[in-house]
Amino acid sequence: MAADALIVIDLQNDFCPGGALAVTGGDEIIPLVNDLIRNTEHVILTQDWHPAGHSSFASSHTGRQAFEAIDMPYGPQTLWPDHCIQGSKGADFHPGLAWHKAELVIRKGFRAGIDSYSAFFENDRVTSTGLAGFLRERGINSITLVGLATDFCVAYSALDAVAQGFDVTVRLDACRAIDLGGSLDTMIAKMREAGVKLV
Ligand code: VGL
Ligand code: ZN
């Protein structure tokens, strides 16, 4: 029997106002996300989960600033302020998020040398998080994505999900963007072109 799942991306303190990598209006989506959680049978969360000194942090690269891009062995990587450090308050889910119902929490970005925007594959685009296998084994063929940030973790997750054969909807009203150098428009166009339903 085909089933649907709601996947809530990175609704953590560090991505909300006051956090280390705050997304404008990040906390505004919480009431809507909570409604969607209440009205969806299967709920999965992702949690950005970096060790201290992670290679995606600008502070790990001498002379580099946050929001610059560098070349990593696996390709280009944007550098970020230190954020979502394993076990820190910033890595916790926002206290307003009704997360208790979640059946699975996918942690990502826990390998020191590689970042992971997508809930499905790390930024080398080949290291799997195991999420596609979990969904398939559970008979889930259709997913709705919400959370932070629209143009990074939500978009990368949506594009991978489509490539993995899932039916994918992004609820843009339940997402907020970082929008770095036009990244929101770029990623919206990519999602639309790939067949992600944007509503
Ligand atoms: C994210 C940048 C770095 C996200 C995570 O959740 O979109 N962005 N780590
Ligand atoms: Zn991160």
Side-chain angles (χ1 to χ4, degrees):
M1 186 47 198
D4 304 318
L6 177 72
I7 304 185
V8 181
I9 303 289
D10 297 1
L11 244 179
Q12 296 165 260
N13 289 323
D14 270 343
F15 295 122
C16 289
L21 179 41
V23 178
T24 306
D27 55 347
E28 290 169 8
I29 64 174
I30 289 170
L32 180 53
V33 171
N34 287 345
D35 280 347
L36 293 167
I37 289 175
R38 240 186 314 279
N39 293 316
T40 309
E41 188 177 353
H42 301 291
V43 176
I44 293 164
L45 309 175
T46 67
Q47 192 171 25
D48 212 37
W49 196 248
H50 301 307
H54 191 256
S55 58
S56 75
F57 297 166
S59 63
S60 304
H61 304 270
T62 321
R64 297 295 180 162
Q65 302 292 315
F67 309 108
E68 277 180 33
I70 62 163
D71 287 317
M72 293 289 277
Y74 54 81
Q77 170 70 48
T78 301
L79 296 176
W80 305 105
D82 293 21
H83 66 279
C84 295
I85 292 176
Q86 296 170 355
S88 69
K89 263 258 161 278
D92 284 350
F93 294 116
H94 187 285
L97 179 68
W99 57 267
H100 301 84
K101 183 177 173 182
E103 297 172 9
L104 176 73
V105 178
I106 287 278
R107 288 182 169 152
K108 58 185 183 61
F110 53 79
R111 291 185 176 85
I114 180 168
D115 202 5
S116 186
Y117 295 149
S118 165
F120 292 89
F121 292 98
E122 303 196 20
N123 284 9
D124 61 0
R125 319 308 300 137
V126 293
T127 305
S128 172
T129 65
L131 179 56
F134 175 89
L135 294 172
R136 283 191 198 108
E137 290 200 9
R138 294 284 308 279
I140 294 167
N141 64 344
S142 156
I143 63 170
T144 297
L145 290 163
V146 299
L148 307 172
T150 321
D151 42 344
F152 287 91
C153 292
V154 174
Y156 277 73
S157 299
L159 292 170
D160 282 350
V162 166
Q164 289 290 306
F166 295 97
D167 184 78
V168 186
T169 300
V170 171
R171 280 282 302 249
L172 290 172
D173 54 346
C175 296
R176 290 293 183 273
I178 295 174
D179 203 11
L180 203 60
S183 57
L184 179 58
D185 285 349
T186 303
M187 296 312 286
I188 293 268
K190 280 194 186 175
M191 287 193 279
R192 186 166 285 133
E193 197 176 319
V196 176
K197 291 171 196 140
L198 300 169
V199 297

